[in-house]
Amino acid sequence: MRLAELSRATEVPPATIKWYLREGLLPKGEPTARNQAQYDDVHVRRLRLIRALVDIGGLTTQEARAILTVVDDPDASIDEVVGAAHGALARVPDTDIDPAALTQVDRFLASRGWTVTPDSPARVELAGIVRAMAQLSPGQDPSDAALVAGLAPYADAIDQLAAAEVAELPHDVPRDVLVEQVVLGTVLAERLIGSLRRLAQESAFLSRYVAPSDTDS
Amino acid sequence: MRLAELSRATEVPPATIKWYLREGLLPKGEPTARNQAQYDDVHVRRLRLIRALVDIGGLTTQEARAILTVVDDPDASIDEVVGAAHGALARVPDTDIDPAALTQVDRFLASRGWTVTPDSPARVELAGIVRAMAQLSPGQDPSDAALVAGLAPYADAIDQLAAAEVAELPHDVPRDVLVEQVVLGTVLAERLIGSLRRLAQESAFLSRYVAPSDTDS
């Protein structure tokens, strides 16, 4: 198909497609005689993946490219693909991380039996979150045990989920299908969990704060 | 304290504090004789809240202000505060939402017994995610039953979590403390869940993909 058809098929404007081509996020089409190029289903699929990462995952074009570079490297292992997706998702502060918060996070990780590399971006991100929460809840017990207990409902839910997600990954599929599913499962599912949680919260709030006063009258 | 001390106490640069004052995110200080203003713990706390929403929650200054306006309105109900936080977190596309995806989401919500308002931003966001996932997994069963089954592990985990979170909200605290905890519990905990999930994933991947080959040799 030609560029205009690729645009119609994916609902991505031609100018955006051209920009992705220039920026190397989208592979070039097959050149044709009339100074045009032909595109195929690989381009449709890649465009949908880019839009999912950017529009839904909230990644910048640069962050999406960093992931796609690893996806397109046939020598990259699955955990390198996961690492690239995690690197794009983590919001790591520019400033130095409070060493006390990092130590607390490491004790929490050990308490869960979660083994991660020391340069894991999520580990640094979690330290920042733990520190902000402690600062904004001054009456809170600052001990490691209290942190482990406070995070337990979250970690229990996640433990269950992460095991199910890794177990569900297909084994007998080509590498390009597997890596794409890993990226989607990492980036899109993080937004999925966020939106489900807000829906469940909204429902729980409606029943707790609204329903009683509705029935009181 | 003076502005320089407020800056030291919060690690927020003076220019940023002045900008927040001009933009109305931070209440003005008490004017003093020498054309200066005095700030107190309320300002320290508010600055930490703003930085948490922006640096950790990933909100824009405008999105943070939209939440804080509702937080500061003594007549705003708790579910209005939650609604403001949810509105800032949802990534709702500019384009029209596929009505078929919205219908599927409504059937999923009904299957969970989750009641939300029709203009819930998370409902629209979820429809966009469901549509993107369907487009990128062409072999997938497109039925409502398959969607409900596919989302079940996520929804089960979230159900458990949302109920615990709403139940844990303090009852006998002043409104300003409660609304702040609601905002933090909504915005920061969404990032918390994301980072915990990535840590658990990293750990699960390391044990599945790395450990076996390490022990094979």
Side-chain angles (χ1 to χ4, degrees):
Chain A
M1 71 189 83
R2 287 159 57 175
L3 195 126
E5 294 163 277
L6 180 62
S7 168
R8 271 195 298 277
T10 56
E11 297 173 45
V12 178
T16 307
I17 297 179
K18 286 179 189 164
W19 189 61
Y20 289 152
L21 286 165
R22 278 199 303 275
E23 293 287 313
L25 278 84
L26 188 67
K28 301 250 178 288
E30 192 69 35
T32 55
R34 289 165 300 162
N35 199 23
Q36 288 183 331
Q38 281 289 321
Y39 302 92
D40 60 19
D41 284 349
V42 170
H43 297 89
V44 171
R45 206 173 163 76
R46 172 55 58 98
L47 269 175
R48 285 188 175 144
L49 181 59
I50 296 169
R51 298 309 289 184
L53 295 178
V54 172
D55 291 346
I56 298 177
L59 304 187
T60 63
T61 309
Q62 275 192 320
E63 288 167 338
R65 181 168 52 190
I67 297 179
L68 295 173
T69 303
V70 182
V71 163
D72 290 338
D73 174 2
D75 294 329
S77 66
I78 289 296
D79 47 295
E80 282 170 325
V81 173
V82 173
H86 285 184
L89 284 171
R91 191 174 296 280
V92 177
D94 305 330
T95 51
D96 286 345
I97 292 298
D98 179 26
L102 267 182
T103 304
Q104 276 210 313
V105 164
D106 286 339
R107 288 187 186 142
F108 161 73
L109 291 172
S111 80
R112 302 299 305 189
W114 292 354
T115 310
V116 302
T117 56
D119 56 351
S120 159
R123 173 177 167 266
V124 176
E125 185 183 33
L126 181 57
I129 298 171
V130 163
R131 180 158 188 256
M133 282 183 156
Q135 284 183 333
L136 285 158
S137 312
Q140 195 182 281
D141 177 355
S143 70
D144 294 352
L147 180 74
V148 169
L151 294 183
Y154 296 96
D156 289 347
I158 291 302
D159 245 339
Q160 212 176 310
L161 206 52
E165 288 181 316
V166 174
E168 268 177 25
L169 277 177
H171 261 101
D172 46 357
V173 294
R175 180 191 175 282
D176 60 334
V177 175
L178 178 62
V179 295
E180 205 180 276
Q181 291 304 310
V182 164
V183 168
L184 286 174
T186 304
V187 179
L188 257 67
E190 186 153 324
R191 295 300 302 179
L192 172 73
I193 292 168
S195 66
L196 288 178
R197 175 167 174 266
R198 280 177 263 123
L199 289 165
Q201 265 189 348
E202 189 180 334
S203 182
F205 264 104
L206 281 179
S207 62
R208 175 173 163 183
Y209 284 96
V210 180
S213 62
D214 281 352
T215 52
D216 277 356
S217 56
Chain B
M1 69 189 85
R2 287 159 58 173
L3 195 128
E5 295 163 275
L6 180 62
S7 169
R8 271 195 299 278
T10 56
E11 297 172 46
V12 178
T16 308
I17 297 180
K18 286 180 189 162
W19 189 61
Y20 290 152
L21 286 165
R22 276 199 303 276
E23 293 287 312
L25 278 84
L26 188 67
K28 301 250 177 290
E30 192 69 36
T32 56
R34 290 165 299 161
N35 199 24
Q36 288 182 330
Q38 282 289 323
Y39 302 92
D40 60 19
D41 285 349
V42 170
H43 296 89
V44 170
R45 204 172 164 77
R46 171 54 60 97
L47 270 175
R48 286 188 174 145
L49 181 60
I50 296 169
R51 297 310 289 184
L53 295 178
V54 172
D55 291 347
I56 299 177
L59 303 186
T60 63
T61 309
Q62 275 193 320
E63 288 167 337
R65 181 169 50 190
I67 297 178
L68 294 173
T69 302
V70 181
V71 163
D72 290 338
D73 173 1
D75 294 328
S77 66
I78 290 295
D79 47 294
E80 282 170 325
V81 173
V82 173
H86 284 185
L89 284 170
R91 190 172 297 279
V92 178
D94 304 331
T95 51
D96 286 346
I97 293 298
D98 179 26
L102 267 182
T103 304
Q104 275 210 313
V105 164
D106 287 339
R107 287 185 187 144
F108 161 74
L109 292 172
S111 81
R112 303 299 305 189
W114 290 356
T115 309
V116 301
T117 56
D119 56 352
S120 159
R123 172 178 167 266
V124 176
E125 185 183 33
L126 181 57
I129 299 171
V130 163
R131 180 158 188 256
M133 283 183 154
Q135 284 182 333
L136 285 157
S137 312
Q140 194 182 281
D141 177 356
S143 70
D144 293 352
L147 179 73
V148 169
L151 294 183
Y154 296 96
D156 288 347
I158 290 301
D159 244 339
Q160 213 176 311
L161 206 53
E165 287 181 315
V166 174
E168 267 177 26
L169 277 177
H171 261 100
D172 47 357
V173 294
R175 180 191 175 282
D176 60 335
V177 175
L178 177 62
V179 295
E180 205 182 275
Q181 292 303 310
V182 164
V183 169
L184 286 174
T186 304
V187 179
L188 258 66
E190 185 152 324
R191 295 300 301 179
L192 172 72
I193 293 168
S195 65
L196 289 177
R197 176 167 172 265
R198 279 176 265 123
L199 288 165
Q201 266 188 347
E202 189 181 333
S203 181
F205 264 104
L206 281 178
S207 61
R208 176 173 163 183
Y209 284 96
V210 180
S213 62
D214 280 352
T215 52
D216 278 354
S217 57

